[in-house]
Amino acid sequence: MALTTRPVEMRYAEAAVLAVQREMEADPAVVVLGEDVGRGGIFGQYQGLQQRFGDQRVIDTPISEAAIMGAGVGMALAGLRPVVEMRVVDFALCGMDELVNQAAKNRFMFGGQGRVPLVVRMPGGIWDASAAQHSQSLEAWFAHMPGLVVVSPSTPQDNHSLLRAAMQCGDPVVYIEHKALWGLRGPVDETVAIPLGQAARLREGDALTLVSWGKQVHACAEACDALADQGIAVDLIDLRTLWPWDRETVLESCGRTRRLLVVHEAVQAAGFGAEIAATAAEATGCRIARLGAPRIPVGYAAVLEAQSRIGTEAISAAARRLIGRP
């Protein structure tokens, strides 16, 4: 595919394919490994790459997440820049020791002699009718771990630009694409570079600050539009990178609006929203509310699954409560 010099409409998955392709073209050290990557991945996020680069750079692996993650860490230490596919974040738990005790700590434990430029793609979030073991949002686990960078793109443009930034990063990156966003369409401009750690302001307003990431950003945007019809202007911030997160943008907004609502799909208890809320409270003294899923496994039946979803009306209602509006 020729370099696009103007925005091109494409799916979230296609934007990711293009990002990996461009980095593989630019750097022969970039390799891909994981289950099903040769046939394009279960979401089409590697479509056509093995045909283009061969099976020595797009490597199909056995069904062993520990082996895949361990091989990726070893490749990175040996000088390659691997993209490790975990299929879904739920499966990545089988490779946690290699990620948490090896990749995250190597640079520190060996005085910077080794670097682990590893990108671990682990799609997260609720996957329709896929139940408790395939619908988890575990970003707070990885944000808690020193040594890891954590990214959660919400749009095709972000998925392209942030994935390229992740592949260029010298440290291990946990890259969490949402399982329900692969078909989302939007403009992608290859010339747009987005640095890790930079949030995006999607709406502007002074009534309150609303912070989210991943797929939940879209529900928040719909809520902002509904609130605008009621004369409530919201400052909506898409965090995009959870670690390092953009404190400056969030705290500037909180200091101005004096109210913060953090919304995420993950379970509210001990979710990453608590870190944002605590930081904002300490720095600005603003009023704060959080909105996340109840501490229950995601159900298989639609009526049970719905209990774990945070919809537009719930977000709008939480925002109105925070500003004292009925």
Side-chain angles (χ1 to χ4, degrees):
M1 182 183 295
L3 178 68
T4 58
T5 57
R6 56 183 177 78
V8 174
E9 187 89 1
M10 62 180 67
R11 295 184 294 110
Y12 187 87
E14 292 172 327
V17 173
L18 184 59
V20 178
Q21 176 187 324
R22 293 304 187 217
E23 291 303 313
M24 293 186 77
E25 290 169 345
D27 186 351
V30 176
V31 297
V32 172
L33 67 156
E35 301 166 33
D36 300 307
V37 294
R39 67 179 179 91
I42 57 174
F43 301 108
Q45 71 272 43
Y46 300 99
Q47 196 66 49
L49 292 180
Q50 191 178 75
Q51 290 75 17
R52 177 180 292 268
F53 296 102
D55 60 10
Q56 298 300 298
R57 292 189 67 192
V58 180
I59 306 163
D60 284 306
T61 65
I63 303 174
S64 172
E65 285 76 16
I68 298 165
M69 191 79 78
V73 174
M75 288 176 170
L77 287 169
L80 296 177
R81 303 183 75 87
V83 176
V84 173
E85 177 59 45
M86 287 283 102
R87 302 183 87 211
V88 290
V89 69
D90 318 72
F91 299 166
L93 305 187
C94 296
M96 285 289 277
D97 181 70
E98 290 75 11
L99 178 62
V100 168
N101 280 327
Q102 306 304 326
K105 296 180 173 64
N106 188 280
R107 184 178 173 191
F108 172 80
M109 292 180 66
F110 295 97
Q113 296 178 81
R115 297 293 292 268
V116 187
L118 174 80
V119 177
V120 187
R121 295 176 73 181
M122 43 177 86
I126 296 175
W127 196 3
D128 293 353
S130 296
Q133 294 179 343
H134 298 78
S135 293
Q136 298 173 89
S137 299
L138 302 176
E139 61 269 21
W141 289 28
F142 302 105
H144 179 76
M145 181 51 53
L148 297 179
V149 175
V150 184
V151 181
S152 181
S154 65
T155 67
Q157 180 68 68
D158 287 352
N159 204 20
H160 178 80
S161 299
L162 290 172
L163 186 52
R164 295 195 70 173
M167 286 186 281
Q168 294 166 13
C169 179
D171 291 310
V173 179
V174 171
Y175 197 85
I176 305 177
E177 293 146 298
H178 199 285
K179 299 163 190 167
L181 288 181
W182 296 109
L184 177 70
R185 300 191 68 84
V188 174
D189 182 345
E190 286 194 69
T191 66
V192 173
I194 302 174
L196 300 177
Q198 184 181 91
R201 179 173 275 111
L202 304 182
R203 300 285 192 282
E204 294 186 3
D206 294 320
L208 78 154
T209 300
L210 177 55
V211 175
S212 192
W213 54 87
K215 181 175 180 288
Q216 203 63 53
V217 167
H218 299 282
C220 288
E222 292 176 3
C224 288
D225 292 341
L227 290 165
D229 291 340
Q230 302 168 42
I232 302 170
V234 175
D235 220 35
L236 174 60
I237 296 172
D238 178 357
L239 215 53
R240 300 198 293 200
T241 303
L242 276 72
W243 202 272
W245 64 281
D246 191 346
R247 290 173 173 81
E248 182 177 346
T249 295
V250 172
L251 296 181
E252 180 279 326
S253 179
C254 292
R256 177 166 43 81
T257 68
R258 308 303 301 167
R259 300 178 181 88
L260 169 66
L261 174 61
V262 186
V263 179
H264 54 67
E265 186 175 294
V267 169
Q268 180 170 307
F272 191 68
E275 171 66 19
I276 300 168
T279 301
E282 291 167 350
T284 71
C286 66
R287 293 185 61 193
I288 292 171
R290 290 180 296 147
L291 191 60
R295 193 174 179 272
I296 57 174
V298 177
Y300 171 74
V303 67
L304 297 177
E305 182 181 272
Q307 298 302 308
S308 292
R309 294 187 181 275
I310 309 300
T312 300
E313 181 49 46
I315 299 167
S316 298
R320 290 194 299 270
R321 286 194 300 271
L322 189 59
I323 64 175
R325 290 274 295 270

